[in-house]
Amino acid sequence: MTFKLAASPHAHQRRTTQQIMRWVYLALVPGVLTLMYFFGWGVLWQLALAIVTAWVAEAACMALRGRPISSAWRDHTALVTAVLLAISIPGMAPWWLIVIGTAFSIIVVKHVYGGVGQNIFNPAMAGYVLLLVSFPVQMTSWPLPQSLAQFDLSFWDTTVLIFSGYTPAGYSMEQLRMGVDGLTMATPLDSLRTALNHQLTISEALAQPIFSGLAGIGWQWINAAFLLGGLVLLKVRVISWHIPGGMLLGLLIPASIAWLFAPDQSVSPLMHLLSGATMLGAFFIATDPVTAATSNRGRLYFGLLIGFLVFVIRTWGGYPDAVAFAVLLANMTVPIIDKYSQPTAYGHASGGRGGQS
């Protein structure tokens, strides 16, 4: 008769890291396909470059640490990091941008801190912030949605653009960002930020061609697709509702208050929820189990903090979207959140985590 020993907690349904990561990247499929539909073949190239770079960097780090390389590829953590970073940057970004960001995420943010389960910052968002601070022009050069673009790029056109900076016809990225009316346009959040800085009202800013529907052409559907994937993760219990629910609530409450008192100078709550990386951040980025709080109450506080920081940075910060910065700032607060949110162990005094038995 044999006995199987397992570390606590002794759950009825146990999943390996590989199984969890597989559910995550499968749930990302609707959002990735929607992103490709609106922004073209470049998304596919960014994914391919990121995945190859992540696998090579992971293998090199494991070899240098004297660990088996095969184990690094089996757990899929590097794959998920690569995918999250690849879909966070402009699809037409030059090839070296995603290579630098992915290598930094895997080598520095993940393995310098000890590998899987040891990093204190979300690797994908740390790589994103590195790229945004170091290469702001390339990181904010999003292509126009297909319906507004005056050039229809084939797969070959996109490939040449990513690897050379120009299409076979000689068009640069800046020229490709010119809409059919001859005006250069950015993402909805970036366009709103620019309009408000020029003392325009929200209604005047929304008259731009980039805006349509609830939150701008393409972006509301992209966020809806990531929301669908997030609901799948909730359904199969890969994640709990506390972090995504807290983040969306933490963003919705201040956005609603600001919109109620200053509707001509504030973005609507619905646009906050359906623009930028809101749903991707809530269900796929902030829920990283390694860098988030551990207790359910702590996860709720963690999510609320991220949502509030997203609102603050979007409203008064220097960048139109704020999910990456908000997640990294919240990562720094995890030790203090855990200290005051974890339940007191039986036999220890209540009131903080410093109680004595």
Side-chain angles (χ1 to χ4, degrees), residues 235-252:
K235 176 66 176 178
V236 298
R237 297 184 179 181
V238 169
I239 62 174
S240 68
W241 64 267
H242 301 83
I243 292 178
M247 177 177 164
L248 297 180
L249 190 63
L251 176 59
L252 183 62

Side-chain angles (χ1 to χ4, degrees), residues 175-205:
Q175 291 172 308
L176 295 174
R177 294 179 67 223
M178 300 286 285
V180 292
D181 58 356
L183 297 177
T184 301
M185 288 178 286
T187 62
L189 286 174
D190 198 12
S191 297
L192 273 178
R193 168 63 58 85
T194 302
L196 292 176
N197 288 340
H198 286 84
Q199 306 303 314
L200 298 179
T201 64
I202 290 293
S203 57
E204 292 171 333

